[in-house]
Amino acid sequence: MPRAQARIDLGAFASNLQRLREAAPRSEQLAVVKADAYGHGLIPMARAAREAGAEWLGVALFSEALELRSAGDTGPLLAWLAAPDDPWSEVAEAGIDIGVSTVSQLQRLTTPTRVHLKIDTGLGRAGCAPADWALLIDTAQRMQDAGSIDVVGIWSHFTVADDPANPLNTVQIQRFQEAVAAAESLDVEHHHLANSAATLALPAAHFTLVRPGIAMYGISPGAGMGCAADLGLRPVMTLVAQVTVVKRLPAGSGLSYGHLYTLDGDSTTAVVPLGYADGIPRNATNVGPVFAAGKRRTVAGRVCMDQFVLDLGDDAAAEGDEVVLFGSGADGIPLAEDWAEVTGTIGYEIVTRLGARVERVYR
Ligand SMILES: *Cc1c(COP(=O)(O)O)cnc(C)c1O
């Protein structure tokens, strides 16, 4: 057992994919493995997704897509976030589909490319503005007729799908249907709009393909949708560390930088060797939840670069004892979402920011 470990439960991952399949049984599944599979490890999670039946993989960056091809993945694969100087031709020649929002991006395609045209239905980020859609379609049609591109998909992305009752969802679905209708002459095989939240809660958004990310990793897309267990999802990552130093300190002792925590009574303290260099939020100071020495505790004092401290009171501990930062959410073990709540962020960020110094092990 090293200093710290992220244990990845591939059984839980497969079960979450199954759960998502049951939620959208008539759609193909595009497993989103961008950002190192949300911190879980790109290649192992991509393999596990294919084994669980995901027809497609999706990533943001061209570099991520090329890494999948280098690792031997040959299946349908979409990459949607590219800068002008990225290797468009190399990606197209590797059989990777490219998400395109603008005419100038289309004009960057100098080798036959499989394209998914993106319409901005309301997110206000990437995607073609509705007013520019006709021109994008026209340009794509001419390129397709000339044999230089193959338009495989029309797609868009939600703004508030984690709030399923929000009327903007209905508006986006309607705008999406209009955009698909306007592109009818392109004879496109796939229409896709749903992220995890919409896969679970908005059947009208399923179309031919769904693009779940966070839910595959067993994390709720948003507090408003309930916790992972409410959604039938199982947390995939458990973050553990080995206690490095245990000692007894007298009442009144301050702990860690700035002495933001002071011991009420004589107490046993334990050092946990994970810090903000590993992705533990520094603002988890005095609020981060940890399971240690048989019960739930809270980070005592400042989270440092490589470590933080726990106040164990009169409970016993030894060097090498295992503490759990987050995992199942059962028996006192916190969820990644619990860390998100106390640090003012979302579960996505807690797992995605976990640093390269933490070994991932797969079970
Ligand atoms: C990240 C991403 C997803 C997955 O979103 P989740 O909320 O994690 O399910 C789907 N589509 C696109 C375009 C994305 O960038």
Side-chain angles (χ1 to χ4, degrees):
M1 163 74 190
R3 166 190 74 106
Q5 215 170 45
R7 295 181 182 145
I8 310 298
D9 181 345
L10 294 174
F13 184 70
S15 142
N16 296 334
L17 275 158
Q18 179 62 29
R19 164 78 182 93
L20 289 157
R21 179 73 72 182
E22 284 159 14
R26 281 173 297 281
S27 305
E28 291 189 14
Q29 215 169 37
L30 179 148
V32 179
V33 291
K34 63 189 176 188
D36 202 29
Y38 293 47
H40 294 65
L42 173 62
I43 302 304
M45 302 320 283
R47 285 204 180 114
R50 292 285 194 208
E51 271 163 32
E55 293 87 351
W56 291 73
L57 296 177
V59 291
L61 308 185
F62 283 1
S63 56
E64 298 170 325
L66 290 168
E67 197 179 332
L68 284 166
R69 287 295 188 244
S70 297
D73 187 274
T74 55
L77 169 59
L78 173 63
W80 54 72
L81 188 72
D85 292 343
D86 280 336
W88 296 73
S89 298
E90 186 188 344
V91 164
E93 281 157 17
I96 295 159
D97 294 19
I98 299 180
V100 165
S101 299
T102 65
V103 168
S104 49
Q105 287 179 336
L106 275 183
Q107 287 164 345
R108 217 160 268 133
L109 305 173
T110 53
T111 188
T113 308
R114 287 164 51 92
V115 167
H116 296 235
L117 297 175
K118 185 173 197 183
I119 173 85
D120 181 1
T121 52
L123 177 57
R125 198 175 65 182
C128 179
D132 302 331
W133 187 239
L135 178 62
L136 186 69
I137 290 181
D138 223 53
T139 312
Q141 181 78 63
R142 277 187 284 107
M143 292 175 75
Q144 180 160 277
D145 292 345
S148 60
I149 63 169
D150 180 10
V151 182
V152 177
I154 306 268
W155 66 302
S156 187
H157 197 42
F158 274 116
T159 312
V160 289
D162 59 326
D163 176 15
N166 191 312
L168 181 54
N169 294 314
T170 316
V171 170
Q172 286 196 257
I173 292 169
Q174 194 182 334
R175 286 184 189 151
F176 185 66
Q177 285 167 325
E178 286 162 15
V180 166
E184 204 186 347
S185 63
L186 284 168
D187 195 22
V188 168
E189 185 180 354
H190 282 295
H191 309 135
H192 48 108
L193 177 58
N195 56 6
S196 293
T199 303
L200 292 166
L202 293 171
H206 288 171
F207 299 102
T208 67
L209 184 68
V210 293
R211 305 190 309 267
I214 195 70
M216 299 190 302
Y217 307 101
I219 294 173
S220 169
M225 294 188 65
C227 68
D230 297 335
L231 295 168
L233 302 170
R234 289 165 53 192
V236 171
M237 182 190 291
T238 299
L239 179 61
V240 300
Q242 272 196 323
V243 169
T244 52
V245 173
V246 177
K247 67 188 177 208
R248 198 74 189 158
L249 285 173
S253 300
L255 302 185
S256 193
Y257 292 130
H259 277 179
L260 300 179
Y261 184 95
T262 304
L263 293 178
D264 284 340
D266 295 357
S267 199
T268 297
T269 64
V271 175
V272 179
L274 280 170
Y276 60 79
D278 302 297
I280 308 307
R282 185 166 176 271
N283 66 353
T285 294
N286 279 337
V287 294
V290 178
F291 186 81
K295 61 180 192 212
R296 183 78 80 101
R297 323 267 174 180
T298 302
V299 171
R302 191 62 100 193
V303 172
C304 311
M305 186 182 290
D306 314 298
Q307 50 198 315
F308 63 82
V309 184
L310 295 172
D311 173 4
L312 302 181
D314 288 323
D315 294 335
E319 288 175 18
D321 281 0
E322 195 170 290
V323 304
V324 185
L325 282 78
F326 56 82
S328 67
D331 307 319
I333 293 174
L335 290 166
E337 290 96 313
D338 296 326
W339 278 80
E341 191 184 334
V342 299
T343 57
T345 185
I346 53 177
Y348 297 68
E349 187 180 355
I350 297 297
V351 288
T352 302
R353 63 187 289 156
L354 189 68
R357 302 199 307 184
V358 179
E359 179 193 37
R360 275 71 166 169
V361 290
Y362 299 88
R363 314 181 158 194

